[in-house]
């Protein structure tokens, strides 16, 4: 039998959690892109596609990243990928150079072609206008089919439990941007990395899980190697979400707020940063088994260590560490922010106060 003190404690906690969940919904809703912004972005995509077709008639320009997976915030950048459906095509770096010249001549975009980057892209930006008060930033890459697939995978995860998954992801994106820990160029983690951390947590850490593992579910019918592999990587996942939602129900009934509190607790206290790899495909792996440890016998000791401080396995490119840009200093700051957030929530302030403290710039 609970003592009166404990009962008061439990009911106070329940009240806090209900309140915080509601505040989280309200908070993210006002940060979603407007219908107008989405329409302008779609117009930009069509315009760019028309221009690219003057160079490569058999090309298509597709959205990926947040504009396509349902995790978009107001003024998110646009990630576009050009696919060319013909055998004789220019190399990505030639295309980047040619497209850069064309867009410079024909449009009002500021254009920056990067033909020699690891993945050649054209970077575009547009100054603010009435329809887009903050302008637009856009990257165009070529033949990045794996990125289209990982976008579709994240979208399927979002569709299984739209309220909890989208609220958590959108909140963490805003939080990480406001706390300045969402910048791979400055040694912290990309939005994509944070989304993978959320999915990993919901599939592999929560018990019972909030989400099933789409990459490990049995296919409905036999499929050939050809249909499941892309550039040597297995890209198969269960993508019939409608059917899945008829057959699979999570028995986890925690609210968004409870999940968020536990997310911060897990990543500030329990995730084994030194030895572990978060893999949404396979659960918790060991750096050692992936050759991602700090290899003392290797002459490239410093290099390997710098790249593998924090390890998040890409869902398809399993030899690729999505967090490889995170530096020692960056990881220290990220973990510090997880701890700070856990501390803010532990004292259960009023929900609005909690959110404004969490996202303080
Ligand atoms: P934002 O709204 O902040 O732009 P986003 O959801 O578009 O967030 P990004 O980090 O811009 O996320 O990533 C967009 C896409 O680019 C991802 O879906 C992924 O395909 C690819 N990507 C980004 N970062 C990486 C990375 N470190 N490794 C592999 N792919 C990445
Ligand atoms: Mg993006």
């Amino acid at each position: 039998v609970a003592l009166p003190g404990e009962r008061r404690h439990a009911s106070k906690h329940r009240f806090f959690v209900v309140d915080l969940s509601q505040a989280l919904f309200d908070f993210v809703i006002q940060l979603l892109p407007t219908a107008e912004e989405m329409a302008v972005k779609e117009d930009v995509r069509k315009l760019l596609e028309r221009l690219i077709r003057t160079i490569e008639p058999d090309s298509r320009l597709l959205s990926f990243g947040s504009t396509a997976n349902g995790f978009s915030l107001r003024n998110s950048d646009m990630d576009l990928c050009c696919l060319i459906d013909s055998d004789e095509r220019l190399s990505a770096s030639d295309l980047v150079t040619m497209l850069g010249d064309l867009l410079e001549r024909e449009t009002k975009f500021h254009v920056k072609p990067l033909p020699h980057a690891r993945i050649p892209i054209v970077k575009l930006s547009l100054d603010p206008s009435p329809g887009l008060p903050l302008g637009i930033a856009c990257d165009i890459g070529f033949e990045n089919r794996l990125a289209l697939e990982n976008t579709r995978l994240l979208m399927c995860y979002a569709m299984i439990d739209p309220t909890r998954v989208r609220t958590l992801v959108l909140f963490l994106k805003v939080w990480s941007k406001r706390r300045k820990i969402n910048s791979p160029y400055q040694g912290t983690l990309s939005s994509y990395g944070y989304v993978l951390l959320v999915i990993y947590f919901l599939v592999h850490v929560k018990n019972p899980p909030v989400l099933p593992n789409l990459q490990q579910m049995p296919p409905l019918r036999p499929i050939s190697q050809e249909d499941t592999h892309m550039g040597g990587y297995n890209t198969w996942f269960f993508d019939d979400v409608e059917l899945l939602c008829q057959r699979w129900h999570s028995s986890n009934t925690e609210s968004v707020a409870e999940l968020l509190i536990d997310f911060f607790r897990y990543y500030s206290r329990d995730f084994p940063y030194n030895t572990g790899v978060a893999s949404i495909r396979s659960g918790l792996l060991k750096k050692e088994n992936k050759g991602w440890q700090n290899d003392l016998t290797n002459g490239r000791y410093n290099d390997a260590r710098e790249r593998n401080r924090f390890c998040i396995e890409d869902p398809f490119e399993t030899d690729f560490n999505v967090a490889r840009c995170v530096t020692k200093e960056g990881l220290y700051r990220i973990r510090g922010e997880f701890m700070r957030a856990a501390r803010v929530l532990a004292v259960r302030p009023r929900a609005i106060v909690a959110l404004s403290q969490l996202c303080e710039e």
Side-chain angles (χ1 to χ4, degrees):
V1 182
L3 301 169
E6 284 175 37
R7 263 203 310 260
R8 207 170 331 119
H9 182 84
S11 96
K12 219 177 134 191
H13 182 69
R14 196 155 316 126
F15 185 76
F16 172 65
V17 157
V18 169
D19 221 22
L20 182 61
S21 292
Q22 188 60 48
L24 283 164
F25 296 131
D26 298 344
F27 181 74
V28 300
I29 278 183
Q30 40 139 13
L31 297 167
L32 296 178
T34 59
E36 188 184 15
E37 180 182 330
M38 305 279 271
V40 173
K41 284 183 164 166
E42 178 55 15
D43 288 345
V44 167
R45 189 196 62 77
K46 285 195 193 129
L47 166 86
L48 293 170
E49 186 175 63
R50 247 194 340 267
L51 287 168
I52 292 180
R53 283 182 175 164
T54 64
I55 304 177
E56 276 285 5
D58 295 322
S59 58
R60 288 175 289 158
L61 193 62
L62 305 176
S63 276
F64 69 101
S66 59
T67 11
N69 63 21
F71 297 139
S72 159
L73 296 165
R74 223 161 265 205
N75 312 307
S76 312
D77 60 1
M78 272 175 95
D79 302 294
L80 297 173
C81 169
C82 178
L83 294 183
I84 299 156
D85 304 312
S86 83
D87 296 333
E88 287 167 42
R89 53 168 180 256
L90 296 159
S91 73
S93 58
D94 287 344
L95 270 166
V96 162
T97 308
M98 287 177 68
L99 183 61
D101 290 346
L102 177 75
L103 295 174
E104 190 98 63
R105 275 200 317 272
E106 302 283 332
T107 68
K108 285 187 280 188
F109 284 103
H110 303 290
V111 183
K112 187 173 172 196
L114 300 172
H116 306 298
R118 185 178 75 94
I119 298 173
I121 55 169
V122 184
K123 282 183 114 36
L124 300 177
S125 60
L126 203 57
D127 289 331
S129 64
L132 278 172
L134 287 158
I136 218 172
C138 165
D139 292 349
I140 306 179
F142 293 86
E143 290 296 322
N144 196 356
R145 290 177 197 256
L146 286 169
L148 294 170
E149 285 306 298
N150 68 41
T151 296
R152 220 164 55 79
L153 175 67
L154 300 185
M155 186 188 71
C156 286
Y157 274 122
M159 283 161 61
I160 296 172
D161 192 332
T163 316
R164 291 191 289 180
V165 177
R166 288 187 70 210
T167 308
L168 277 176
V169 165
L170 291 171
F171 177 76
L172 286 162
K173 277 175 68 169
V174 182
W175 168 79
S176 62
K177 285 175 204 256
R178 299 238 176 117
R179 300 302 299 170
K180 310 237 166 5
I181 48 166
N182 180 310
S183 174
Y185 298 105
Q186 285 159 30
T188 56
L189 192 60
S190 63
S191 294
Y192 180 56
Y194 286 102
V195 181
L196 294 178
L197 290 184
V198 175
I199 305 225
Y200 172 81
F201 174 76
L202 298 177
V203 174
H204 297 284
V205 178
K206 286 314 307 185
N207 188 13
V210 174
L211 294 172
N213 186 337
L214 294 179
Q215 294 176 278
Q216 304 285 2
M217 299 186 67
L220 292 172
R221 50 193 159 276
I223 30 176
S224 70
Q225 179 89 357
E226 220 169 86
D227 292 336
T228 60
H229 282 67
M230 200 176 269
Y233 297 110
N234 181 1
T235 56
W236 188 84
F237 63 94
F238 195 98
D239 61 356
D240 190 340
V241 175
E242 210 174 310
L243 184 72
L244 182 82
C245 290
Q246 288 165 19
R247 293 190 184 173
W248 192 89
H249 293 281
S250 171
S251 39
N252 186 311
T253 55
E254 284 171 75
S255 64
V256 175
E258 287 169 295
L259 293 171
L260 183 71
I261 293 167
D262 209 26
F263 176 93
F264 284 133
R265 198 161 33 201
Y266 176 74
Y267 286 106
S268 54
R269 228 181 40 191
D270 303 328
F271 183 75
Y273 291 90
N274 286 332
T275 55
V277 177
S279 161
I280 68 167
R281 173 194 290 268
S282 314
L284 182 64
L285 300 176
K286 282 195 158 33
K287 288 186 187 180
E288 196 178 67
N289 296 340
K290 292 192 64 80
W292 285 356
Q293 78 275 41
N294 316 332
D295 188 350
L296 291 161
T297 58
N298 187 323
R300 289 159 62 218
Y301 165 60
N302 280 323
D303 185 39
R305 184 153 96 169
E306 267 321 306
R307 275 184 293 113
N308 296 321
R309 296 255 170 210
F310 190 11
C311 292
I312 305 172
E313 184 189 72
D314 188 83
F316 303 129
E317 272 177 276
T318 50
D319 48 5
F320 182 73
N321 176 11
V322 171
R324 79 202 174 292
C325 294
V326 176
T327 57
K328 180 179 178 196
E329 164 74 22
L331 182 57
Y332 183 79
R333 289 192 25 232
I334 293 170
R335 295 182 66 174
E337 286 299 331
F338 285 141
M339 288 184 228
R340 174 183 179 275
R343 263 197 322 272
V344 166
L345 294 175
V347 300
R348 300 196 208 109
R350 282 189 36 234
I352 311 195
V353 177
L355 294 190
S356 79
Q357 273 182 10
L358 283 179
C359 294
E360 201 170 70
E361 287 184 87

